[in-house]
Amino acid sequence: MHALTKVLVVIGAFLSVLLAGLSVAYTANVDSVRDEYSQLKKQITVANALVDDVNQQAAAQRESNVAETSDLRNQTTQLIAELAGLQSENSRLQADVASLHQAASLHAAQIDQFLATSETYAELNSKQSQELGMLRSKELEGARREIALSDRINELEGRLEVSIETSRSLQERIVDLREELEYAKQDGSGTQIQSDTGFLKAPVGFRASVTDVRRDPAGSTLLEINAGSSDNLRENMKLNIVGESGYIASAVVQLVDDNSAIVRVTVLKAGRENELREGNIVLGTL
Amino acid sequence: MNQLGMQMPGAQRRRSASLNIYTGLLAVAVLCLLAAVLMVGVQANKVGPADSGEYVRAIQTHGDNPVKLPSN
């Protein structure tokens, strides 16, 4: 065998061993790579499925977003229109506010005028009230004066009546005295039982009380007393009427019954007309 | 004897070794093996573990470790 052939055999053997090792390692690595590749392919398939799902969800979401976007655009359009309406309303309201401000200022001026007018009326009312008070005080004073004058007139009327009665009694007394004088001239003697005034004297210790007060149509006052002929009372006897405060009037017996009599008031003390009432004491002498 | 280079008497005269057809075939086989080693080595270097050194990974396997290929 040639030496070259031997060298070639050795080189071929060495290369064969090296190729075998390389082939083993390469085959094992390729197998691992294939397994890895298979796993990756499966993962890619799963990932693709997930991606498809996500894409479908994204598509649905996109559609819903598109619909929502269209709705939002419609709402935006409506809001823009509403905004325009509100702006016009706002401008109109601002104009109204301005007009109301003007009206308020006008009303304030009118209120000031009304206040001034009311103050004027208040002053007038106060003056009228003062004047009315003065008039009322004057009217009251006049009424008081009228009352005083009426009282004075009544007093004077009472005095006049007393004077009239006194005058009439004096006239009667004059007539009686003239008659007595004539009788005395005719008989030559006077009546012993009559008093100096022409009236009979009441019995000594005579005492009675008034039971009724009447008014004579002629104007004189008649009194009914609880004593009569049983008490030795006779017509034309003079009696005195006494009240709680003392002497009130003088009276003359007009009509005598058994237990009662009617007397006529001849003299009434001034200012004591109203004290003639039931219960007054009737005395023969004071 | 023959193997010791000795020639027995009467034996055919030994002829000297020369290149023959087998030497040529062997040379071709060696060239093919060399080409195959180069190509397999290059490809095995591509799929070997990335953690190993250059040209060393061609004769190493991934084993139970996860596959990690070199960048090139």
Side-chain angles (χ1 to χ4, degrees):
Chain A
M1 184 180 291
H2 194 269
L4 182 59
T5 303
K6 292 180 179 175
V7 170
L8 289 176
V9 168
V10 172
I11 293 172
F14 178 73
L15 290 177
S16 297
V17 172
L18 184 60
L19 181 61
L22 290 173
S23 298
V24 169
Y26 179 73
T27 305
N29 289 331
V30 166
D31 185 63
S32 298
V33 169
R34 280 180 62 85
D35 291 341
E36 188 72 18
Y37 175 74
S38 299
Q39 292 179 1
L40 291 175
K41 203 169 183 180
K42 289 179 182 177
Q43 291 178 358
I44 288 170
T45 303
V46 174
N48 285 330
L50 292 174
V51 168
D52 290 338
D53 292 338
V54 170
N55 285 332
Q56 290 178 357
Q57 293 178 359
Q61 185 69 27
R62 192 181 303 112
E63 290 178 357
S64 64
N65 288 333
V66 169
E68 189 175 358
T69 303
S70 62
D71 291 339
L72 290 174
R73 285 178 181 172
N74 292 329
Q75 290 180 0
T76 303
T77 306
Q78 292 178 358
L79 289 174
I80 288 170
E82 189 175 356
L83 178 62
L86 289 174
Q87 286 179 350
S88 62
E89 183 71 15
N90 187 20
S91 60
R92 187 179 65 78
L93 290 175
Q94 285 180 350
D96 291 343
V97 167
S99 62
L100 288 175
H101 280 306
Q102 293 179 356
S105 60
L106 181 61
H107 289 166
Q110 290 180 352
I111 286 169
D112 293 336
Q113 292 179 359
F114 287 150
L115 288 173
T117 306
S118 63
E119 288 178 354
T120 305
Y121 281 128
E123 291 178 355
L124 289 174
N125 286 330
S126 63
K127 289 181 179 177
Q128 287 178 354
S129 299
Q130 292 177 357
E131 188 174 357
L132 181 62
M134 292 173 61
L135 291 173
R136 284 180 178 173
S137 61
K138 288 181 178 178
E139 184 180 359
L140 183 60
E141 187 179 357
R144 286 176 179 171
R145 287 181 180 176
E146 184 179 357
I147 290 170
L149 290 173
S150 298
D151 293 340
R152 180 66 177 163
I153 288 169
N154 291 330
E155 182 180 356
L156 291 175
E157 284 178 354
R159 288 184 179 179
L160 180 61
E161 289 179 357
V162 170
S163 299
I164 290 170
E165 290 296 331
T166 304
S167 175
R168 187 170 62 186
S169 63
L170 289 174
Q171 288 176 358
E172 289 176 355
R173 174 64 180 159
I174 290 169
V175 171
D176 291 339
L177 289 174
R178 285 178 180 174
E179 289 176 354
E180 288 176 2
L181 182 60
E182 289 177 357
Y183 285 142
K185 286 179 179 178
Q186 291 174 1
D187 296 336
S189 63
T191 303
Q192 296 296 322
I193 61 175
Q194 289 181 341
S195 63
D196 296 337
T197 57
F199 298 110
L200 298 176
K201 289 184 179 179
V204 177
F206 177 79
R207 182 182 179 90
S209 61
V210 177
T211 58
D212 191 12
V213 179
R214 300 174 189 174
R215 200 70 177 168
D216 191 10
S220 58
T221 302
L222 299 177
L223 304 177
E224 182 178 354
I225 61 175
N226 58 357
S229 58
S230 61
D231 298 314
N232 296 322
L233 195 64
R234 298 288 181 270
E235 292 181 357
N236 205 27
M237 279 186 175
K238 181 183 179 181
L239 301 174
N240 297 306
I241 311 301
V242 178
E244 295 177 355
S245 59
Y247 173 78
I248 297 174
S250 297
V252 177
V253 179
Q254 295 290 316
L255 183 62
V256 178
D257 202 354
D258 290 339
N259 293 315
S260 63
I262 300 298
V263 300
R264 178 173 56 85
V265 176
T266 55
V267 177
L268 185 62
K269 192 173 182 179
R272 304 188 69 174
E273 297 86 356
N274 296 327
E275 294 185 11
L276 282 174
R277 61 175 68 95
E278 293 181 8
N280 289 145
I281 303 299
V282 182
L283 298 174
T285 56
L286 292 175
Chain B
M1 294 300 288
N2 193 16
Q3 293 175 351
L4 296 173
M6 295 174 70
Q7 190 173 4
M8 293 300 286
Q12 190 178 7
R13 190 178 178 182
R14 184 183 174 187
R15 292 180 298 182
S16 61
S18 61
L19 295 176
N20 53 16
I21 189 66
Y22 297 107
T23 302
L25 291 175
L26 191 55
V28 171
V30 168
L31 292 177
C32 290
L33 281 173
L34 184 60
V37 166
L38 290 176
M39 292 183 63
V40 171
V42 170
Q43 297 302 320
N45 193 40
K46 289 182 180 178
V47 297
D51 297 334
S52 301
E54 192 74 19
Y55 303 116
V56 180
R57 68 172 67 96
I59 57 173
Q60 290 184 348
T61 60
H62 292 283
D64 295 333
N65 297 324
V67 176
K68 188 180 292 181
L69 298 177
S71 59
N72 293 328

